[in-house]
Each structure stands twice: as structure tokens, then as C-alpha cells.
Amino acid sequence: MATTLRLEKIDPGNFDAAVALKVRPEQEHLVAPVVKSLAEAYVHPEVAWPRLIFDGDRLVGFLMAFLDIDFAGDGTGTDIRSGLWRLNIAAGQQGRGYGRFAVQAVAAEIRRRGGTCLTACWHPGDDGPEAFYLGLGFRLTGEMSGDQRVGELELI
């Protein structure tokens, strides 16, 4: 049986499942829970792009992109970027290509909007997702966003 990966908007019918999605316990310090991401999407609707990841009828993850933000946050508008804000793959569902699918989906949305680069931030350390992002072709920029490393993926 072939799997069908797709993204869905969060709506009243899937909201409870979305906020119940949990990563593995040892990863909880690396990514905010979905409910926090949805609150941030509510506060920043002009830049947040939250989506659920389904494999057939099964919820397997959550992503949230940021689109055209002032990344430097200095108000000059000289550093506008788009990228992956959050990625939560459900405990027990990791290692099946869902994270790769999520990054590709965000890349496709950024390309659709005319972008050529996808930015992502992650917590450094052996228990963090750096190897995942580097394996997808991200390169470290040398920047930090708070306590997170910044990486970029050129969308050619």
C-alpha cells in the first residue's frame, strides 16, 4: 500500500489531535509544543504558515514556516527571510521520511512565493537535529538566533 503524504491546515476538526502531538520525551527541550506554535501563529498570522503532516489518515507531524520576516528584527527590512520555524515529528514516527517531506514542502511554498533560500534554526548539540539538517543540504551561516544555530538551504 502506497503512502500519501500531505499537509493540512489546522482547523476545528483536527485541532485536538494537533495539540496532542508529542515528540519523543528526550526531544522536548529542543522544540516548542504544537500548542505554543499555534499561539504564535495566531499572534503573527501575517508571517506564520502552520500545517499538519499526514500519512494517509494518520497525523505524523507538525510544521510551521515563517514567510518574509525581518530576520534581524532591527526594523530596517534589509534582512528578509523565509524558512522553517518549527518541526515536530511525532514520537514513534521519526526516521520514516516525514521530516524530509516537511522541509521539501516548506521549500516548495517558499519557491511558490518567489523565494530562493530556506532558513532554519536549531539547538546545537549531539542530541539536536543538526545532522538531519546538514544531511538535507543546509549549510551553517555562522549566525546564532538566540541560542540556536542558523542554517540555510539554497532553493535552486
Side-chain angles (χ1 to χ4, degrees):
M1 180 174 152
T3 60
T4 305
L5 298 180
R6 71 181 190 288
L7 298 182
E8 283 190 16
K9 291 182 179 180
I10 292 84
D11 63 28
N14 61 30
F15 174 79
D16 287 337
V19 297
L21 187 137
K22 305 286 185 225
V23 297
R24 295 190 323 240
E26 67 272 15
Q27 296 172 325
E28 290 175 352
H29 70 285
L30 298 171
V31 65
V34 173
V35 70
K36 180 177 182 185
S37 296
L38 293 178
E40 288 172 326
Y42 177 82
V43 173
H44 302 287
E46 68 284 355
V47 298
W49 193 73
R51 296 292 187 272
L52 295 176
I53 306 164
F54 281 87
D55 186 349
D57 292 332
R58 189 168 36 99
L59 175 62
V60 297
F62 168 83
L63 68 81
M64 187 161 72
F66 59 88
L67 301 167
D68 299 325
I69 67 162
D70 177 1
F71 195 78
D74 60 8
T76 65
T78 59
D79 189 12
I80 303 300
R81 299 188 202 185
S82 297
L84 186 60
W85 192 347
R86 296 275 161 61
L87 179 57
N88 304 57
I89 302 299
Q93 301 301 320
Q94 296 174 15
R96 299 179 183 184
Y98 302 134
R100 177 180 297 274
F101 169 78
V103 171
Q104 291 170 344
V106 171
E109 182 63 19
I110 291 170
R111 278 190 202 100
R112 188 184 73 74
R113 294 169 181 251
T116 60
C117 185
L118 189 162
T119 300
C121 302
W122 57 83
H123 289 282
D126 293 338
D127 62 345
E130 186 164 282
F132 166 75
Y133 287 112
L134 296 179
L136 291 178
F138 281 81
R139 64 171 181 75
L140 292 169
T141 65
E143 302 167 281
M144 296 292 285
S145 178
D147 62 351
Q148 297 186 10
R149 287 190 178 143
V150 178
E152 291 183 339
L153 179 65
E154 293 298 321
L155 305 178
I156 302 169

